[in-house]
Amino acid sequence: TWFPIRRSFTEVIKRAPRRYVHAVDGVSFKIEDGDVFGLAGESGCGKTTTGKTILRLVDPTSGIIGYRPRKRLLDEWKELGYEPPVIDKYGDIDIAKVPSKYLKPLRKEMQMIFQDPYGSLNPRATIYKILEEPLIIHRVGVTKDERIDIVARALEEVKLTPPEDFMYRYPHMLSGGQRQRVGIARALILQPRFIVADEPVSMLDVSIRAEILELMMELKKKMNLTYIFITHDLAVARYITNKLAIMYLGKIVEMGETRTILENPMHPYTKALIKAIPEPDPKNREKIREVPIKGEVPSAINIPPGCRFHPRCVSYDQHPELQKYCRSVEPPLIEIEKNHWVSCWLYGNPEEIIKMIRK
Ligand code: SF4
């Protein structure tokens, strides 16, 4: 038997060597006001961790999360006696450096829509209670009547009308699509400007996905929102995002305008993801079998050296002259053409790029 009989489970776990996972490593991107910035990739590639880190739901171990705050946020911090250090001439601040006790006002600016409309709502609370909670925490709406008004308006915004029909129901009395509308209303009730939407339609029936995506776009326009949209579905990314970053094992491997990435993918992993989109036409079934990728995603605690995609890359097999670089040096994310960034030794001269990195 491999399990030591007289030791407790906790003791065994304590004795096991500690191993750390870099769920996200060296990720860098810029989001403009009004963007819908997509983060796409397989499960476990670091999309959700990236989104949660930006919101400080996960604390980063290093790096900068630059943010241009609204006056409302600065005023609230001022009232609390906190002045965030400014990092550039535009007045941007570093969210990563905001002490935990001053994060509360930031929640009004930045919110998250969760993937699971079934698990993310408290089953014991009515829809009114679920939506009232952030109002009480952030002291929005002093009287109960004011809060009822705000909740009713939020339900109308997400098209759960008439609101009084929904306010006093429990989550289990709603369909998946209706629950996700409540999730969206909860994220928007404090009037934020930045939303991280973590696979918000992946658990919904295909028939209602488009409705939810359309609602999100409508609200974006109406409330001047900026989204990070996390998805593993490139068809959804094509529909909703204007910029897209493809992630693999905690790194961005390709990034640019969504249209450019999907029409002219350059990284072998992006090409494989695009080829893996199911082909409904039976005449094209052959294409489905030709997905150019090998094996399974390696474990995040045992990341391959060099280009972390090399054990699965078919271009690696086709380019023996590049293999020594692919195996030993991580390719940097380089702008190959305007606003199109790729991390792969197939593009550019590896010797020159390595010299530049090491300077
Ligand atoms: Fe493939 Fe090498 Fe490019 Fe990595 S750097 S994606 S292994 S060709």
Side-chain angles (χ1 to χ4, degrees):
T1 53
W2 57 272
F3 197 78
I5 293 165
R6 261 184 263 143
R7 266 188 228 149
S8 72
F9 207 24
T10 357
E11 214 181 321
V12 174
I13 287 171
K14 269 189 201 157
R15 279 161 188 253
R18 274 182 187 224
R19 308 190 77 172
Y20 294 93
V21 173
H22 273 127
V24 176
D25 191 3
V27 161
S28 178
F29 53 86
K30 188 176 169 188
I31 301 173
E32 313 268 354
D33 251 346
D35 273 347
V36 182
F37 187 93
L39 280 177
E42 289 164 302
S43 303
C45 69
K47 313 179 290 278
T48 300
T49 308
T50 305
K52 286 186 170 173
T53 308
I54 292 170
L55 300 185
R56 283 287 303 275
L57 297 172
V58 168
D59 278 337
T61 45
S62 62
I64 291 174
I65 308 166
Y67 181 68
R68 197 160 305 164
R70 275 194 290 198
K71 192 172 171 300
R72 179 176 92 167
L73 176 62
L74 292 173
D75 287 347
E76 281 196 41
W77 271 333
K78 209 170 178 183
E79 269 176 40
L80 295 171
Y82 175 63
E83 202 176 317
V86 171
I87 54 171
D88 61 22
K89 61 177 179 176
Y90 305 107
D92 296 353
I93 57 157
D94 181 6
I95 289 178
K97 302 278 181 324
V98 176
S100 315
K101 63 176 177 179
Y102 297 118
L103 284 178
K104 197 169 137 193
L106 198 66
R107 303 278 171 252
K108 272 193 188 169
E109 293 270 301
M110 303 176 138
Q111 279 285 335
M112 186 150 187
I113 299 172
F114 294 93
Q115 176 180 20
D116 180 4
Y118 301 90
S120 64
L121 305 178
N122 180 356
R124 290 162 189 246
T126 60
I127 303 307
Y128 172 74
K129 282 279 170 208
I130 290 169
L131 296 181
E132 189 196 31
E133 195 185 7
L135 300 178
I136 294 174
I137 293 173
H138 292 272
R139 299 207 182 104
V140 178
V142 184
T143 65
K144 181 141 189 174
D145 282 350
E146 276 175 354
R147 292 198 293 273
I148 290 176
D149 265 3
I150 298 172
V151 169
R153 258 182 279 131
L155 288 172
E156 273 171 356
E157 295 280 16
V158 296
K159 306 212 164 50
L160 290 176
T161 51
E164 51 280 11
D165 270 10
F166 291 91
M167 262 196 220
Y168 302 106
R169 291 198 211 173
Y170 287 87
H172 74 269
M173 298 160 98
L174 304 181
S175 67
Q178 288 171 333
R179 286 183 219 195
Q180 195 54 297
R181 286 172 193 266
V182 174
I184 294 172
R186 180 177 56 184
L188 298 183
I189 203 157
L190 295 170
Q191 309 273 319
R193 71 199 280 225
F194 181 78
I195 301 284
V196 174
D198 186 7
E199 308 235 25
V201 295
S202 64
M203 292 184 77
L204 301 177
D205 289 342
V206 178
S207 56
I208 42 178
R209 283 184 191 176
E211 279 176 29
I212 297 291
L213 294 176
E214 264 168 41
L215 173 70
M216 289 181 65
M217 289 312 274
E218 202 183 304
L219 292 167
K220 170 189 174 310
K221 218 168 159 189
K222 209 164 165 183
M223 301 174 72
N224 292 325
L225 297 169
T226 301
Y227 288 125
I228 281 195
F229 195 95
I230 296 169
T231 182
H232 63 270
D233 185 339
L234 290 184
V236 170
R238 183 195 295 269
Y239 182 75
I240 197 162
T241 66
N242 63 319
K243 289 179 187 161
L244 186 59
I246 306 291
M247 290 188 74
Y248 183 77
L249 269 186
K251 285 262 177 201
I252 290 180
V253 294
E254 186 159 3
M255 178 168 72
E257 307 281 329
T258 303
R259 196 185 238 205
T260 315
I261 303 267
L262 297 181
E263 285 173 8
N264 180 26
M266 293 178 101
H267 194 281
Y269 178 61
T270 316
K271 288 182 185 175
L273 283 186
I274 291 171
K275 279 245 174 158
I277 298 173
E279 175 55 70
D281 185 350
K283 283 184 222 141
N284 294 330
R285 260 187 211 140
E286 277 309 304
K287 276 192 200 165
I288 304 167
R289 284 191 221 114
E290 283 170 19
V291 174
I293 196 165
K294 303 181 286 179
E296 299 286 325
V297 190
S299 157
I301 50 172
N302 204 5
I303 290 186
C307 168
R308 43 191 78 191
F309 186 58
H310 85 258
R312 304 182 73 197
C313 180
V314 286
S315 300
Y316 173 84
D317 298 338
Q318 290 158 0
H319 292 270
E321 76 287 0
L322 291 177
Q323 289 180 358
K324 64 174 179 184
Y325 305 107
C326 298
R327 272 197 315 264
S328 58
V329 189
E330 189 138 55
L333 196 62
I334 286 181
E335 193 170 18
I336 303 293
E337 54 190 18
K338 196 163 184 288
N339 292 330
H340 190 174
W341 302 73
V342 186
S343 151
C344 176
W345 291 123
L346 283 173
Y347 308 99
N349 180 329
E351 283 300 334
E352 281 175 17
I353 295 170
I354 291 168
K355 253 191 231 161
M356 254 165 43
I357 307 172
R358 290 185 178 157
K359 250 188 197 171

